[in-house]
Every structure is written in C-alpha cells, then in structure tokens.
Amino acid sequence: MSDTTSVASLPGGIPHPHGGKPKLDHDSGIITVLVFLGLLAGGIFFTAWSLYQDVSNAGVQITTWLPFLLLGVALLIALGFEFVNGFHDTANAVATVIYTHSMPANVAVLWSGFFNFLGVLLSTGAVAFGIISLLPVELILQVGSSAGFAMVFALLIAAIIWNLGTWWLGLPSSSSHTLIGSIIGVGVANALLRGRDGTSGVDWGKATEIGYSLLLSPVIGFVAAAALLLILKFVLRNPALYKEPAGNQPPPWWIRGLLILTCTGVSFAHGSNDGQKGMGLIMLILIGIVPTAYALNRVPAPSQIVEFKANAAAAAEIIEKQAAGYNVLGNPRPAVTAYISARAINEGTYPSLAVLVRDISNQVDSYGTLDKVPAAVVSNVRNDMYLASEALRFLLKDKANNLKPDEVAKITAFKGSLDKATRFIPLWVKIAVAIALGLGTMIGWKRIVVTVGEKIGKSHLTYAQGASAEVVAMATIGAADMYGLPVSTTHVLSSGVAGTMAANGSGLQWSTVRNLALAWVLTLPASILLAGMLYWTFIKLF
C-alpha cells in the first residue's frame, strides 16, 4: 500500500542528486488488497460478535437500539484513532531501515505492523487507564450520559483531525501529545460550561510534563544522536559507514542487524504503549453504555475477593482514624469528588472517604462476589470504587496526608484491590485495537517517512546516521518506560536525524526544521482548542 508524495528536494525545489534512494512505491496486487480488506472486515466482524456475546452473557435487557448505535459509532471512532495513529507514527520505526537499505520499504512496514500488533496483544493494560484518569471525574462517573458521549467524541475526533492534518503535511508530531491536549481541551470546556474557572478542569501536572517534553525531546534527540555518531566515527574508522549508500547496497551485517532490531523494538513498544490508550477509551465507552457487562470484573479469583475484604477493612480503619472527631451527614460522594478536583485536603476529606470505603466494603460483603452484584446497581458500585481509587491515588501523593509508611502500604494494597475490580480489558478489545493499529501501520506511511529520510538533511541518510538516530530513539523509549521521563519518541527520532546531519557536516533543510518545530509547538494548543470547541458543539447537539 502506498500514497502519493513529493520527491525530496533541496531548498528552492532542487531535487536531490544522490543515488541510492530507496524504492518506496510497490504495486499492491489484487491479492494484497483483498487480504488487507479481509483483515479489516474480519476485525470489524470479530469486534461486533464479541460485543454481542458479552452483552448476551451478561443478560442485558435491550429496550432501545439507540445506545447501541451510539456505541457502534463510538467504537468505530476509537478504532479509527488507532488506525490513524498506526500510519502517523510508522516513521518512528521504519524510516531509518528503509533509507539505509536495511529492509525494503514494503517489508519494513509489514514487519513494523506485525510487531505493533504483538505489542498491543502482549501489553499489560497499565497505561490504558492512566489516560482515563486525566479526564474530568464527573464525566467519567456519567460517561453513559450525553455529556459523556460528547467528551468521548470530542477528544477522539480532535485527535484524529490533528493527526491527519500533520500527516497530510508530512510532519511527524506526537500522537500522545495530541490526545492529551484533546483531553485538556475537554476538561477546560467542561469546567467553563459548569460555571467554574477553566483551569480547574485541567491536570496541570500533565500539561507541565508535556511542556518539559517539548523542550527536552528535541534537545535529547539532537545532542544524543550527534554524540553517538561522533563516537562511532572515532571508534570505527570505516569511511563507508559515513557516506551515502552506493546504489541500493545494504549496510554491513552488524549495522543492518542493529537497525532491524531497533525497528522491531520501537514498533513493539509503540504498540504496547499507544495501543493501550485506545483500549482505555474503548473500555470507558463500554462501561458507560453496557455497564452490566463491563463495569466490574466479574471473574476474579475467589482469593481476590477475600483479599479485597481484608484490604478494605484495613484501609477503612486507617482512614477512620484520620477522620476522628468529624462525621459526615448524608452522601459522602460530592465531598470526595470535590477533593479529586481540587486535590486539597480539608476537614471533610477523611470523614467522607471513610464512609465511602465502608459503603464499598459493605456492598461487596452483602453480595459475596462481584458477579452477583445486581445489574441495577453495577454502575453505582463501579462508580464508588473508581471514586475511592482516584481519591486514594491523590491522597497517597499528598504531602499533607499525615500517613505513616505502614499505613501507606495498607491503603496502596486496598487501591490495588479496587483497580483489579474495575480496571480490566477483555481479550477481544486488545485484539480489535491490535488489528486497527497494525493495519494502520501498513498504509499511508510514506508521507512522514519521506520527511524523516529526505527532507531534514541536505544529503542522503548514511548507515551510521540511521543507526545513531534509531538507537537513541530505542533507548529513549526504554528510559521513558523505566523512569517515566517526559519525552516524545517522535520528536527524539526527527531531531536525532537532524543531529546526525549536523555532526556529519551534511547540513539541514531549515524550512523543514522550522515546520517541524512549529507543528510540535502548536500540537498542544491546537488540540486543546479543537477538542474544546467540539465538546461545546456536541453538548449543544446532544
């Protein structure tokens, strides 16, 4: 599969005179097209059939088809986001192996798509619900309402629009930053519509983290890749490594192996990380529309229920001790929700949270197991658990919590029990997202690949340049996962290629560099504005 794109050029529109340009256009035979369409249709059918099975097994009473129609549209949009994410971010993995002739273009994208697919399937799901925690808590608790649908549609459509726009222009930008910007936009719009200060709907910690990423990622990519290339030049005195490839000759076997390894690692990590964001949003949609089937994990091991009750009792005792001298009259949930929004402990925080934790413990005790919770109260039980989990998450981070280390451990254990009951991902959701992301990787990839491979520097990418940039990108993913560093792999790879061009004395095409920097800087405000406007529009329509 391929799309039309422009040929690399020097400033002023002069074509690159260099040989060794990889073959990017491969004819898609009828068999290839049929296989692709078959996999796409099979994925859609599998998703619909799995959903039907879950709804039937849960005994959901269908009184109107409208919610399920909205569910179908929402799922298609969510999977569409992952599909677009696939071809938008393919260049992170394949640009260097293609332009160093380590792999033919058509083989590289198939290889990357397969390992994106595996990355999604083998992911833990931990990241999936992290993206949900950035959303306004009142919308999460009412995700099946019109406001909930407006939230999901607005943030996904805004992210798709920006990703498609930057892809069309051939500009590699961060899909994660786009999605987080969309979430912030929904949060701001929701707060303003509810008569609150717009800043109260924003996770400013995450916004600050993205700001650091915008500053750090290009610097890390540029400096680290340039430094690695200079080290290679000092250690390995083989001139062929630092010259443009002669014809379509592949690099030495060890550099070729290194490039294919990093391509594989970046593809797998992209699937594992970015695929989970789609999973989390799909679960949010399912919980809102079909809570009976998806709000609670109805198949936990019996030992988990015993553990849940023990952890709940221990946590309740600690929180009640902190609430000594204060009582709550009426519903504790508004006070807990207010704490999550404001993240400031007051005299009502511990007493309200203590009542909520006891309520949850009593509910589980009365039903015995989660699979026996009546359909009519599943949403309420799940919302209570989610509310308590989020409150405990912020409480554990709060320096004013007055908790001892052993108390922190017990509350952490209870939060883990709450998350096991509410944060789970059915296998079919993983498979659906894996198919969408994997197939997306295999089409539309050429626009951004050409930018990375031809339009950043004034000369063809050399073997050593490709290896340096991709190794730095791979190391960045590992460091980001291990230490939680706020860096963007997309930014690191693109700036890494620029760094190697500068270190090699090849020169930069400053018009491309300027456009890249502009796209990166505008990603957050543009996605915030798009999502906020769409949310306001959908609220008025729904």
Side-chain angles (χ1 to χ4, degrees), residues 170-495:
L171 298 174
S173 63
S174 173
S175 295
S176 297
H177 290 181
T178 303
L179 184 59
I180 293 170
S182 299
I183 289 172
I184 291 173
V186 168
V188 171
N190 178 67
L192 291 174
L193 287 172
R194 291 172 181 267
R196 302 199 307 263
D197 181 356
T199 58
S200 65
V202 176
D203 186 339
W204 287 111
K206 180 57 66 175
T208 303
E209 185 178 292
I210 295 174
Y212 285 138
S213 176
L214 288 170
L215 294 174
L216 288 175
S217 297
V219 174
I220 290 173
F222 191 94
V223 173
L228 183 55
L229 180 65
L230 293 175
I231 291 170
L232 283 175
K233 280 189 168 186
F234 179 77
V235 175
L236 302 171
R237 302 301 178 97
N238 183 354
L241 297 177
Y242 313 105
K243 293 181 180 179
E244 299 162 15
N248 291 327
Q249 183 179 347
W253 67 268
W254 61 273
I255 282 201
R256 190 177 192 179
L258 181 63
L259 281 162
I260 293 174
L261 176 65
T262 53
C263 167
T264 305
V266 170
S267 299
F268 185 88
H270 178 261
S272 176
N273 192 285
D274 279 40
Q276 290 191 62
K277 292 161 187 168
M279 288 182 215
L281 293 170
I282 286 173
M283 287 309 299
L284 190 63
I285 295 165
L286 293 172
I287 288 165
I289 300 177
V290 201
T292 305
Y294 299 106
L296 294 175
N297 185 1
R298 292 176 169 271
V299 287
S303 60
Q304 289 183 8
I305 297 299
V306 175
E307 180 185 88
F308 183 97
K309 294 177 181 178
N311 289 339
E317 184 179 346
I318 294 167
I319 296 169
E320 285 171 353
K321 185 172 69 174
Q322 293 288 338
Y326 296 93
N327 292 312
V328 174
L329 298 176
N331 186 359
R333 291 159 189 81
V336 178
T337 303
Y339 167 67
I340 294 172
S341 298
R343 293 163 203 170
I345 296 175
N346 58 37
E347 65 275 4
T349 301
Y350 277 114
S352 300
L353 189 54
V355 173
L356 182 60
V357 170
R358 281 296 181 193
D359 281 355
I360 293 170
S361 181
N362 291 337
Q363 286 172 337
V364 174
D365 277 337
S366 64
Y367 300 125
T369 60
L370 295 181
D371 62 320
K372 293 181 180 177
V373 176
V377 297
V378 163
S379 289
N380 291 336
V381 173
R382 194 261 174 192
N383 282 350
D384 284 352
M385 288 183 173
Y386 179 83
L387 201 59
S389 175
E390 285 296 283
L392 293 176
R393 179 168 72 93
F394 290 116
L395 189 66
L396 291 169
K397 294 180 180 178
D398 200 318
K399 295 179 180 178
N401 61 26
N402 297 321
L403 295 173
K404 298 175 183 177
D406 62 316
E407 293 174 333
V408 168
K410 291 178 181 178
I411 289 179
T412 301
F414 177 54
K415 184 185 182 307
S417 294
L418 290 171
D419 291 345
K420 287 178 184 177
T422 58
R423 303 187 178 194
F424 67 101
I425 300 173
L427 179 60
W428 72 264
V429 172
K430 282 190 174 185
I431 294 174
V433 171
I435 292 172
L437 189 64
L439 291 180
T441 302
M442 298 178 195
I443 71 164
W445 48 271
K446 205 171 74 172
R447 289 181 180 275
I448 294 178
V449 165
V450 167
T451 297
V452 174
E454 299 180 17
K455 295 185 177 181
I456 293 177
K458 289 184 178 179
S459 66
H460 193 289
L461 199 68
T462 68
Y463 301 141
Q465 286 175 324
S468 299
E470 196 70 35
V471 166
V472 167
M474 178 69 181
T476 299
I477 285 183
D481 287 346
M482 190 175 298
Y483 301 109
L485 299 177
V487 292
S488 163
T489 308
T490 303
H491 296 180
V492 169
L493 179 68
S494 303
S495 56

Side-chain angles (χ1 to χ4, degrees), residues 148-185:
F149 276 112
M151 170 189 70
V152 171
F153 287 159
L155 67 90
L156 284 173
I157 293 174
I160 289 172
I161 289 172
W162 183 255
N163 276 350
L164 284 176
T166 52
W167 164 79
W168 182 259
L169 296 172
L171 298 174
S173 63
S174 173
S175 295
S176 297
H177 290 181
T178 303
L179 184 59
I180 293 170
S182 299
I183 289 172
I184 291 173

